Amino acid sequence: TQLLEQSPQFLSIQEGENLTVYCNSSSVFSSLQWYRQEPGEGPVLLVTVVTGGEVKKLKRLTFQFGDARKDSSLHITAAQTGDTGLYLCAGENAGNMLTFGGGTRLMVKP
Amino acid sequence: DAGVIQSPRHEVTEMGQEVTLRCKPISGHNSLFWYRQTMMRGLELLIYFNNNVPIDDSGMPEDRFSAKMPNASFSTLKIQPSEPRDSAVYFCASKVGGSNTEAFFGQGTRLTVV
């Protein structure tokens, strides 16, 4: 089983602060995806990173894939209350199977 | 497209009863996943189908769990007999085959076994 460890598990910050969420594994993935989940809904894709060292930006969100394709980070600049939610990383293996990390539950307070 | 459709949205059943969860993937998607989500264990992959064939069922917790995909537009997850520890939200997701494609999730079935 390919395990993905996310940290921190919980994060509570004030609006306007910056934060970084980490996703680590001992396994190599063909790609890594980040999803966001809101209460009562299924996860929704934010971004896919494929190449080692790749950096992608989505407005205030910056995603990075580690050089060895085993880890990834999500950085949010100037967090807003609308960023509150559960952030999940998911690794895809060569067989196209998608395995999720435990998630980081983010609360942004006004 | 209506997206991935799961039914029922909520299910409350007594311990020992059979439970069947249903999923209709997005048309044209040939990969289908069943996940279980709890606060303690997060989002666990139960089983993965590709072109209606089960590829990996190593996440299925026990023989009480079974999943089928009789055709490209329908899949079921059955628990028989159900136990209180099976209480969770069960998600179905589908995606186009191949790597680096997006998985689309249904809204989930919240199962409570009392």
Side-chain angles (χ1 to χ4, degrees):
Chain A
T1 303
Q2 296 171 305
L3 293 176
L4 282 161
E5 301 281 344
Q6 282 188 244
S7 61
Q9 287 184 286
F10 301 95
L11 190 56
S12 180
I13 61 171
Q14 294 294 135
E15 197 169 31
E17 291 183 8
N18 301 332
L19 67 117
T20 302
V21 173
Y22 299 94
C23 175
N24 296 297
S25 175
S26 57
S27 302
V28 176
F29 294 100
S30 59
S31 70
L32 199 135
Q33 299 179 336
W34 284 91
Y35 289 77
R36 181 164 166 250
Q37 185 180 17
E38 302 207 32
E41 302 292 330
V44 176
L45 181 70
L46 294 172
V47 79
T48 300
V49 285
V50 178
T51 308
E54 183 177 2
V55 177
K56 278 192 175 178
K57 292 195 173 185
L58 190 67
K59 297 182 181 177
R60 295 175 295 100
L61 278 59
T62 301
F63 304 84
Q64 184 161 7
F65 202 11
D67 290 340
R69 301 195 349 257
K70 293 182 180 181
D71 53 83
S72 181
S73 63
L74 157 60
H75 182 80
I76 301 179
T77 303
Q80 300 176 356
T81 55
D83 295 327
T84 293
L86 178 66
Y87 289 82
L88 296 155
C89 66
E92 186 176 35
N93 66 10
N96 302 325
M97 199 165 77
L98 208 56
T99 306
F100 282 80
T104 294
R105 199 166 293 277
L106 173 65
M107 167 76 74
V108 182
K109 295 179 284 189
Chain B
D1 199 315
V4 176
I5 300 173
Q6 290 188 245
S7 64
R9 286 294 310 275
H10 302 273
E11 176 83 34
V12 180
T13 190
E14 290 186 343
M15 182 173 63
Q17 295 297 305
E18 177 180 295
V19 175
T20 299
L21 311 181
R22 297 172 176 80
C23 175
K24 177 178 166 50
I26 292 173
S27 177
H29 285 191
N30 55 353
S31 293
L32 184 141
F33 304 83
W34 280 101
Y35 292 91
R36 175 173 70 176
Q37 188 173 39
T38 61
M39 284 294 291
M40 290 294 293
R41 300 173 69 91
L43 197 61
E44 301 174 277
L45 176 63
L46 300 178
I47 187 167
Y48 159 48
F49 290 88
N50 194 46
N51 293 321
N52 313 337
V53 176
I55 302 300
D56 192 314
D57 65 355
S58 59
M60 296 284 262
E62 299 170 32
D63 290 346
R64 300 183 296 105
F65 286 68
S66 62
K68 293 183 180 179
M69 192 163 186
N71 56 62
S73 60
F74 185 64
S75 177
T76 60
L77 177 68
K78 186 177 293 186
I79 308 173
Q80 165 63 23
S82 58
E83 296 183 4
R85 61 191 166 124
D86 302 331
S87 297
V89 181
Y90 289 80
F91 285 102
C92 173
S94 71
K95 71 187 195 85
V96 174
S99 54
N100 313 330
T101 56
E102 177 178 359
F104 291 83
F105 282 77
Q107 290 191 295
T109 295
R110 181 174 294 277
L111 173 66
T112 304
V113 183
V114 298

